[in-house]
Amino acid sequence: MSSPSPATPRSLQQRLRRDRNLLRITSSAAVLTALSLLLVLGFLVTTAAPLLDPRPSRPQPLAEWTDPAQGFPPARLQFDADGVWQADDSVSTGGSQLLPFGSDGNRRCFEPGARRWCLQALRRGDGEGPNNALRLQIEGEPPEQAELIVGDIADWIAGTDGRSALTSMVDGRVLWITAARDRAGVLQLLAQPALQQELPSPVVSWQRPDQGSEELLALHADGRLGLLRPGTGSWRELWPADAALVANQARLYAGDGRLARWQDGHVRLHDLGDATRAGLRDLWQAQSRPGQPQPSQLWQAHANAPEASTHLNLWPLLLGSLKAACLGLLIAAPLAMGAAMHAVQYRSGRLKHRLKAGLELCEAIPTVVLGMLALLWLAPWLEQHLGLALAALLGWLIAFLWPARRHSSELSDGQRARGILRRALLGLGLGSLLGAWLEQQLPGGQLTLAMGQWWGLQYQTYNSIVVALVVGLAISPTLYSLTDEALQAAPPDWQEAALALGASRRDTLFGLLLPAAAPGLLAALLVSFGRALGETLIVLMVSGNTPLTTLDPLQGLRSISATLVLEAPQAVPGTLHYQALLLAALLLTLGSVAMNLLAQRWLRPRDSA
Amino acid sequence: MNPYPWRGPLSRLTGGLLVLLLAGFLLVGMSVLLGGVAGLAPRPLLQVELRDQPPLAGLLLQTEVTHLDLLTGIDAGRVRWQRLPREQVMSISEPTAACAASNAEGELLVQSPCTADPQRWQLAFPNDGRWLAGLGRWYDSLRNFLLAPARADGQGGISAALVGTFVLVLLMTLLVLPFGVAVGLYLAEFAGTTRHTRWLRQVLAQLAAIPSVVYGLVGLGLFVHGFGHQIDQWFHADRLPSPTYASGGLLWASLVLALLTLPLVVVVSEQGFRRVPGGLREASLALGATRSETIFGVLLPAARPALLTALILAIARASAEVAPLLLVGAVRYAAQLPISTEAPFLHLERPFMHLGYRVLDLATSAGGHTLAVQQAFACALALLLLVLALNGAAIYARAILRLRHEKLSP
């Protein structure tokens, strides 16, 4: 080996260093890519994590003080902004005020609008004793009043909506009193059990952990402290039984998310913190609402009226997403898979290729355009001409089931294409003409109106069928090309060979084509389903966005994706609403990724073959 | 002979489904095209005689069986329009002496007979019937649609939305292209097939499967509320509590779109590198070039059409995507463009207007307002043309790629 010139080795080293640098740069880009999935999933999981934590936390001790001056419990406890205990009435601003249990007063008034609602507990009937009735008075024009005798009341607290109240009875029951109007419009009070479980001992006193919070702190007869969520009717113990509280030697105070226990001038302050927050189960349980005797599942993130309350139940959203995706797939599967099955028989590779390229171009159509068309044109049109559309579809079906003169295998590509075009035009044209005439004869001139008259069906303009049609159209190009690929799994040569070897067509179908194509077809369906789950804009624009728990396709829906778009910008990070939204997004992501993983699993045998 | 076992009715029925699918997309395309063109079409100036009311001059927005919609002018950014029930209309005429005049603020005055002061008001639509003038009016309304400034009520021209879309996509490209091509290069040239690369491929497949709205949520929660908040505290503490980067803006939106299009860019560019014939690579290495020299001297030039395809597909995907932008900074009306002639020229923190968002906004807030519906269709047409043109370009680039490889491979 001849000795190289002195410049060459150094320059070779430099050149090789560039190699190494390039490797370093590209591999670190690859690592960052892998990290980005971790970033997305990690963000969703960590932000929704407080909801996923199954262990309820207990009140955390914050501070302790001794107040030597006072030998009796004060009317309220006050702390300044730094948490330093203050004597009565010395806090000006920025402090917190803790009130003793049962200090709600005997009469509470709210002014949600022009009128004033007042709830009051009183004693009715003979004899002395605790209050046994509640009265709701509406002051204003016209004045109204309703009263209900419920039994001996231990303590009661008015709901945040101003027209409901929670009462604990001396006999241990907890009742939810709600105001409602009967058929005649007369105001009345209704009582329903507020809890789904038996309490260990009767509640003697209520207090809110925070002003305006829905959940309530309940002090029981044996001195234990519970947390009650009126919406879901669930109860949880926060603090074990306490003899000093029963003997009235100690007193509990609450407010501003804090809890304090006073005993002989000694104050222990606790932070309620996470102890009062909702858990995962609360997002799925049916909730009672004032005025509705049956508990229902409801998503209502913003109270749309002053007296309404918020409810966060993920079930209607999940159901809406699944409904839109399933119905969309129900439309897309026959449409796209049938079309691909037909196109695969064409001999001309160019025709096949053009069809595929054309539909790939259609896949790129922005979904906002499809949504706009459905919103402005398709949905109102369908409401007026549902009969025409159904008749056209029927005409189309008849046209294609009409027997042919010549066997399809004798036809060339061009003859076949012209044939199906002729049939489609004839069927759709005659069907729609007939449908238009028939619809004229119906009462109201519209099938949707006639449906209401005959069967009492309420047709909503923006319903799940319109959503399904448009989502189905949006995902069908994907489904088409995936089906096309799946059907290539057993190429025509193999099938011709099988036929030549004497296999019947049935054997070819079940023995060769289906086993080869089935995993691909299933994977195509799964991938399209995942795509439909994540579809946002069409659902946002066309579905009406009402969170419902019905499977009725004539009703609207509200999907997770549309809810994210509508509510996430306004949601405040750290609140239950925000976390619930992130949990919904996590569910959506996991659903789509699971579909994708399953599809890959099904596809793998073909890949390795 | 047709080897596929579906024949007779099944074959015809699947053929019918193919027709239905194609007809569906044809219907979508045609209605957007016709609706968009009709939405932009110049409207005749009408003089309407009304029962019990003084006569009215206005631009015809829409005729229906039961009513006419007439635009009678625009002042102070508010569109004045009237719905006239047919039974009130005595007669409709199209007087040649009518005109629609607009002033510098984009306000519109409709008059018959025309008395607009040419000093302040420029005549936009003189109403005479000759077709050349009609064509001029068409051009005028198209120019108005493209160039007129956007207005706070969601009406006005689309120029700001176009600029917003363009700047957003450009930024996204700058972020995603080098990164995605580097990953594609790693997968094609350096990685081989080890367990790690299988993992990486899995990760890319799952990234592609995550719904776009989730990316938007990550952008909102992590970028805007997380990073943006930090950046504000470090660099823009003087402006707190009003947010600078802690609210949706151009930077976060382009980052989200970059994340969204990353799998696409990686997969397409990797395929491009793999399709370069092995002989070229081996010849270069045999001649003594190092790996990096082979990559920069041979592979990258040979794979250029593939990279172009990746670029165009990413742009097409990004400009069609609206859902994540709703969460990270697309707004109905932005007073300022994200680019300006003052330093730093590109304002990464500003919210921006976007063509797709405009379609959504106009369509959902139309509520029977004919002008908004027509504008929505026109915007949709513009968006559709943009996206389809980009995808068509990608298909063309891929065709070039195929041709080149046929030439290169022996």
Side-chain angles (χ1 to χ4, degrees), chain A residues 177-331:
Chain A
I177 314 290
T178 54
R181 294 183 190 279
D182 61 8
R183 292 239 170 114
V186 178
L187 191 73
Q188 55 180 0
L189 288 177
L190 304 168
Q192 69 192 70
L195 284 180
Q196 294 178 347
Q197 67 205 89
E198 287 281 315
L199 290 184
S201 77
V203 178
V204 292
S205 181
W206 300 109
Q207 187 57 277
R208 285 185 200 290
D210 232 326
Q211 215 172 10
S213 81
E214 298 251 328
E215 48 278 346
L216 298 168
L217 296 171
L219 183 63
H220 293 262
D222 59 0
R224 86 176 74 205
L225 187 70
L227 179 80
L228 188 124
R229 205 175 298 281
T232 56
S234 62
W235 178 90
R236 195 170 87 213
E237 185 184 275
L238 280 188
W239 207 294
D242 187 342
L245 283 172
V246 182
N248 273 332
Q249 295 156 349
R251 209 160 178 196
L252 277 182
Y253 296 78
D256 273 347
R258 287 171 188 180
L259 187 73
R261 185 174 178 277
W262 179 96
Q263 189 170 13
D264 296 336
H266 191 74
V267 180
R268 278 167 197 257
L269 185 65
H270 294 259
D271 188 7
L272 280 171
D274 269 4
T276 60
R277 66 172 313 129
L280 195 55
R281 208 191 300 164
D282 296 306
L283 290 176
W284 300 103
Q285 257 174 6
Q287 294 169 320
S288 306
R289 274 187 290 166
Q292 286 211 344
Q294 284 298 318
S296 59
Q297 284 145 331
L298 187 74
W299 176 274
Q300 185 174 312
H302 303 290
N304 48 6
E307 68 275 13
S309 53
T310 60
H311 295 272
L312 300 174
N313 190 309
L314 285 179
W315 187 239
L317 302 188
L318 188 69
L319 204 67
S321 270
L322 287 176
K323 190 168 139 187
C326 287
L327 288 176
L329 199 63
L330 215 60
I331 299 279

Side-chain angles (χ1 to χ4, degrees), chain A residues 15 19 341-342 345 347 565, chain B residues 1-2 6 11 288 292-293:
Chain A
R15 287 162 68 199
D19 264 22
M341 271 168 70
H342 187 81
Q345 319 172 54
R347 309 216 150 246
V565 166
Chain B
M1 201 173 80
N2 167 24
W6 39 87
S11 169
S292 58
E293 285 160 358

Side-chain angles (χ1 to χ4, degrees), chain B residues 3 16 21 33 55 57 67 79 83 142 157 166-167 191 231 235-236 262 294 308 324 332 339 394-396:
Chain B
L21 181 61
L33 184 68
H67 56 84
V79 177
R83 177 157 288 180
L142 185 66
F166 182 73
V167 175
I231 292 177
F235 302 109
H236 299 283
L262 181 64
T294 309
L308 190 66
R332 163 186 248 204
I339 44 174
I395 290 171
Y396 183 66

Side-chain angles (χ1 to χ4, degrees), chain A residues 507-521:
Chain A
D507 290 343
T508 323
L509 177 64
F510 287 105
L512 180 64
L513 189 67
L514 271 187
L521 293 182

Side-chain angles (χ1 to χ4, degrees), chain A residues 303-579:
Chain A
N304 48 6
E307 68 275 13
S309 53
T310 60
H311 295 272
L312 300 174
N313 190 309
L314 285 179
W315 187 239
L317 302 188
L318 188 69
L319 204 67
S321 270
L322 287 176
K323 190 168 139 187
C326 287
L327 288 176
L329 199 63
L330 215 60
I331 299 279
L335 200 64
M337 294 180 111
M341 271 168 70
H342 187 81
V344 86
Q345 319 172 54
Y346 284 120
R347 309 216 150 246
S348 145
R350 213 165 121 189
L351 191 60
K352 273 188 225 177
H353 183 73
R354 279 198 182 163
L355 269 175
K356 202 172 172 185
L359 280 167
E360 259 166 30
L361 204 60
C362 291
E363 193 180 356
I365 292 178
T367 49
V368 66
V369 172
L370 294 177
M372 181 209 73
L373 271 183
L375 173 74
L376 295 179
W377 173 73
L378 180 67
W381 186 85
L382 259 189
E383 188 181 13
Q384 286 184 351
H385 303 285
L386 185 68
L388 193 154
L390 287 179
L393 205 63
L394 194 69
W396 167 89
L397 194 66
I398 290 171
F400 280 101
L401 290 178
W402 201 270
R405 272 170 302 169
R406 275 200 290 171
H407 203 274
S408 62
S409 54
E410 301 163 16
L411 301 175
S412 73
D413 284 353
Q415 281 171 325
R416 189 177 294 180
R418 276 195 295 279
I420 64 166
L421 267 182
R422 207 180 311 133
R423 277 170 190 265
L425 284 179
L426 255 173
L428 287 175
L430 286 181
S432 52
L433 279 179
L434 191 70
W437 180 78
L438 274 177
E439 204 160 24
Q440 289 289 315
Q441 315 305 315
L442 291 176
Q446 283 180 24
L447 182 63
T448 44
L449 293 180
M451 268 162 44
Q453 278 195 13
W454 294 336
W455 307 306
L457 280 180
Q458 278 295 316
Y459 184 88
Q460 313 272 326
T461 316
Y462 299 107
N463 59 46
S464 308
I465 293 180
V466 186
V467 175
L469 280 176
V470 187
V471 169
L473 194 66
I475 60 173
S476 36
T478 319
L479 191 51
Y480 177 90
S481 53
L482 289 173
T483 310
D484 194 60
E485 271 165 34
L487 288 176
Q488 311 281 341
D493 320 358
W494 295 13
Q495 294 174 48
E496 276 169 10
L499 290 174
L501 287 172
S504 68
R505 276 182 184 276
R506 206 170 139 261
D507 290 343
T508 323
L509 177 64
F510 287 105
L512 180 64
L513 189 67
L514 271 187
L521 293 182
L522 197 63
L525 282 175
L526 287 173
V527 168
S528 314
F529 187 76
R531 186 69 61 88
L533 266 185
E535 177 49 57
T536 308
L537 279 159
I538 294 173
V539 186
L540 173 71
M541 292 167 91
V542 193
S543 66
N545 290 323
T546 353
L548 298 171
T549 43
T550 166
L551 284 175
D552 183 2
L554 286 181
Q555 299 280 327
L557 55 90
R558 186 187 184 106
S559 76
I560 292 177
S561 48
T563 308
L564 290 181
V565 166
L566 286 171
E567 292 174 8
Q570 279 83 39
V572 181
T575 56
L576 178 64
H577 179 208
Y578 189 73
Q579 286 167 359

Side-chain angles (χ1 to χ4, degrees), chain A residues 74-124:
Chain A
R76 53 182 177 271
L77 291 178
Q78 304 199 78
F79 300 90
D80 66 10
D82 301 326
V84 179
W85 183 79
Q86 302 273 323
D88 249 3
D89 300 328
S90 59
V91 174
S92 50
T93 49
S96 38
Q97 201 176 61
L98 274 58
L99 293 171
F101 276 63
S103 64
D104 207 31
N106 208 30
R107 181 181 159 93
R108 291 300 296 267
C109 292
F110 292 81
E111 277 180 77
R115 300 164 80 189
R116 198 169 132 95
W117 302 65
C118 288
L119 267 170
Q120 188 180 5
L122 60 162
R123 176 81 193 173
R124 285 283 169 203

